[in-house]
Amino acid sequence: MNQSVSQKMMENDFYCDAPLYTALKKYVDKDMSSFHTPGHKGRTDIFDINLSFDLTELPETDSLFECDGAIRASEVKAAELFGAKYTSVSAGGCTLAIQGMLAAFTKLGDKVLFSRNIHRSAVNAAILFGLEPFWVMHRNDCGAGLPGRIYPEDVRAALKQNPDAAAVYLTSPDYYGCMSDIGGISAVCREFRVPLLVDNAHGTHLVAFGKHPLHLGASASACSAHKTLPVLTGGAWLNCADENAAKKIKSAMALFGSTSPSYMTMTSLDVARAWLQAEGMEEFRRLACVVNELKELAVSVGFELPLGECDPIRLTLLTTNVGFNGNEAAEYFRRRGSECEHSDSVSVIFIITPFNSRRDIDRLRQAIAEFPRRQPLDPLENTMIHLPERAMSPREVLRHGREIIPTERAEGRIAAEAACPCPPGVPVVMPGEIINAKCVKILLSTGINQAVVLQ
Ligand SMILES: Cc1ncc(COP(=O)(O)O)c(C=O)c1O
């Protein structure tokens, strides 16, 4: 290496001409406690991975979409952990894993039963693959403003009415940590001989609690490992338990994946898996006790928690009972040095992992204990259980031009994009559906003042 070039690069003040670098440096210097992704929490003391690992396809390093060497060996080990017939690494996030999962299990024009709170990566995949979605709605069982869970009986009823469904696809746990009964839903899917595909973006670590979707009978799961494991951003796994689909996984992912996947990200997946098997499972179970104590403390000062079965390490505080909306509460926690993952008008969500330091946890504990209480806010009206009429499939939307108009003038127009207020994180209208008066009312009341519609 030409020493003078590297030295000049480190010493030169051109860094101040790099706006993203400047913004990140400024943020890092604030020394906030990270309760957001990625799960490694910026710890520089946990990885023996540095820039020298930012490699490319070489004889020793294998090649993601044609792998038969080290990458494949790391996937085989991950498959053993998750109980999969085939596991593929993704350096394109869970988004690539979701695209690969849907591509491996469906073909053009297939009907798929989707839960309504799907992430936009699944909406986009449905458009790309020309899928015909039909919907199973959530029940309002987690608390006001939250999407709620999908029930096996509702999946059964939908499959009875649509015996030609090619797959069932749902998200569990959701952003708020609420978990649907994957075991019960898998049993229904087996009864109808339909594969169950789970967006387990938020639940890779559930393997430590015997609650990973594959362990509960799902046919495949897309796991956004970077959210809760010590994995670099973009690291995810697609796990497949189905023998036939397993053969298609790599080529399905290669349809969309970059031919330059990050070796640092893929290596961090490999190391995180090894850590998880050696000691990480125990660390997550220990962490669940810490999170439980934080939950008890939060309840004692007036916060509410999502009801029913939830991810044991996700901390979601419902804030209306203490008189704050979630965004105001997030601002309070920010002032106290804790940056959350997400906030909305009813909740604030913290992603806590074994890589949060004791200081992080103490800061959060103190901030919860000293949270200022106000008069409770009015309970939220539950506006979610509502399915607009469909005009065309999501794919057909691509044949048309689109325009952006004020939401108040959108009644009767066909949506070109999903419009998704948070809460409850469930799209009010999907591409190809007709925006009705109720959609307009919900969108306006949640601050969505513009609609993307077909021309
Ligand atoms: C439920 C859900 N699915 C999928 C994704 C996409 O994951 P990634 O950002 O790893 O592509 C996200 C991202 O937040 C998500 O919340």
Side-chain angles (χ1 to χ4, degrees):
M1 169 79 191
N2 182 340
Q3 202 64 29
S4 64
V5 176
S6 64
Q7 239 164 32
K8 264 170 39 197
M9 187 149 179
M10 287 304 285
E11 287 161 10
N12 206 306
D13 59 3
F14 61 75
Y15 276 94
C16 62
D17 185 38
L20 181 57
Y21 170 84
T22 307
L24 266 58
K25 179 86 174 87
K26 194 168 157 203
Y27 179 76
V28 169
D29 287 348
K30 278 163 75 176
D31 193 24
M32 299 288 283
S33 290
S34 160
F35 293 106
H36 49 81
T37 68
H40 57 67
K41 307 297 178 187
R43 297 277 293 250
T44 50
D45 56 345
I46 55 173
F47 282 135
D48 178 26
I49 300 175
N50 58 45
L51 267 191
S52 66
F53 282 67
D54 192 16
L55 289 164
T56 186
E57 290 75 12
L58 302 169
E60 292 86 348
T61 61
D62 209 357
S63 173
L64 177 56
F65 297 117
E66 303 81 24
C67 57
D68 56 6
I71 292 178
R72 187 67 205 124
S74 82
E75 291 179 337
V76 168
K77 282 181 179 285
E80 278 164 22
L81 171 65
F82 295 110
K85 291 265 188 295
Y86 192 97
T87 289
S88 177
V89 159
S90 162
C94 203
T95 297
L96 177 60
I98 285 169
Q99 289 168 330
M101 182 161 73
L102 278 165
F105 279 86
T106 64
K107 52 189 186 335
L108 195 71
D110 271 351
K111 252 173 128 174
V112 174
L113 178 61
F114 283 101
S115 64
R116 190 74 181 173
N117 69 336
I118 49 174
H119 184 255
R120 74 181 149 142
S121 51
V123 179
N124 293 344
I127 294 173
L128 286 169
F129 307 147
L131 301 178
E132 293 289 339
F134 64 110
W135 307 100
V136 54
M137 302 305 279
H138 303 81
R139 294 196 192 178
N140 180 20
D141 65 347
C142 298
L146 304 189
R149 297 183 177 79
I150 299 295
Y151 279 69
E153 304 86 282
D154 297 338
V155 172
R156 176 179 284 111
L159 289 176
K160 245 186 188 159
Q161 277 184 3
N162 297 274
D164 52 345
V168 173
Y169 177 105
L170 55 87
T171 302
S172 175
D174 65 15
Y175 216 1
Y176 304 88
C178 302
M179 293 161 64
S180 292
D181 172 9
I182 296 298
I185 297 170
S186 316
V188 171
C189 290
R190 270 197 302 281
E191 203 181 305
F192 284 83
R193 296 175 182 279
V194 177
L196 173 63
L197 316 180
V198 180
D199 173 352
N200 183 48
H202 292 277
T204 315
H205 58 280
L206 290 175
V207 70
F209 301 93
K211 299 275 182 187
H212 190 275
L214 252 59
H215 294 164
L216 299 174
S219 308
S221 71
C223 300
S224 200
H226 65 95
K227 294 199 193 310
T228 54
L229 297 187
V231 166
L232 298 185
T233 295
W237 284 294
L238 170 50
N239 297 307
C240 180
D242 179 285
E243 198 98 47
N244 281 330
K247 296 177 198 138
K248 304 183 210 159
I249 292 288
K250 268 297 168 197
S251 58
M253 288 178 78
L255 277 175
F256 305 100
S258 164
T259 51
S260 303
S262 160
Y263 274 81
M264 287 175 74
T265 296
M266 293 192 289
T267 309
S268 70
L269 281 164
D270 191 33
V271 173
R273 190 270 317 144
W275 167 78
L276 200 51
Q277 281 177 304
E279 46 199 61
M281 303 266 209
E282 199 42 51
E283 292 296 340
F284 273 108
R285 291 191 281 264
R286 257 198 287 273
L287 178 67
C289 300
V290 173
V291 173
N292 225 11
E293 284 168 19
L294 291 174
K295 284 183 184 171
E296 282 170 9
L297 175 65
V299 168
S300 77
V301 302
F303 287 106
E304 291 174 322
L305 305 173
L307 304 171
E309 190 181 16
C310 288
D311 171 0
I313 63 152
R314 180 64 49 106
L315 182 65
T316 298
L317 303 180
L318 304 179
T319 57
T320 55
N321 193 49
V322 287
F324 282 70
N325 79 41
N327 298 321
E328 292 169 337
E331 198 43 55
Y332 163 84
F333 284 109
R334 203 165 284 130
R335 283 197 305 276
R336 303 288 303 249
S338 291
E339 188 61 56
C340 68
E341 163 71 15
H342 173 81
S343 65
D344 55 38
S345 61
V346 295
S347 73
V348 51
I349 299 175
F350 300 91
I351 296 185
I352 308 175
T353 78
F355 298 93
N356 280 111
S357 64
R358 185 167 296 177
R359 185 183 78 136
D360 292 340
I361 303 293
D362 286 345
R363 260 181 170 179
L364 184 56
R365 185 185 291 117
Q366 193 85 20
I368 293 174
E370 292 167 13
F371 195 88
R373 209 171 162 164
R374 301 195 299 220
Q375 233 6 359
L377 303 179
D378 288 339
L380 202 79
E381 187 195 350
N382 185 17
T383 48
M384 193 195 65
I385 315 288
H386 155 254
L387 202 53
E389 194 186 330
R390 182 190 127 127
M392 60 181 71
S393 73
R395 168 74 158 219
E396 279 173 275
V397 165
L398 292 184
R399 293 183 197 278
H400 301 263
R402 54 183 64 200
E403 61 178 324
I404 301 174
I405 60 169
T407 302
E408 61 203 8
R409 290 205 278 109
E411 186 178 345
R413 303 291 296 269
I414 299 170
E417 282 182 2
C420 186
C422 258
V426 175
V428 168
V429 65
M430 289 283 186
E433 291 176 346
I434 302 171
I435 301 174
N436 59 28
K438 190 163 181 191
C439 296
V440 170
K441 190 168 163 221
I442 299 171
L443 292 173
L444 288 176
S445 72
T446 51
I448 299 183
N449 298 319
Q450 292 194 314
V452 188
V453 296
L454 299 194
Q455 273 173 338

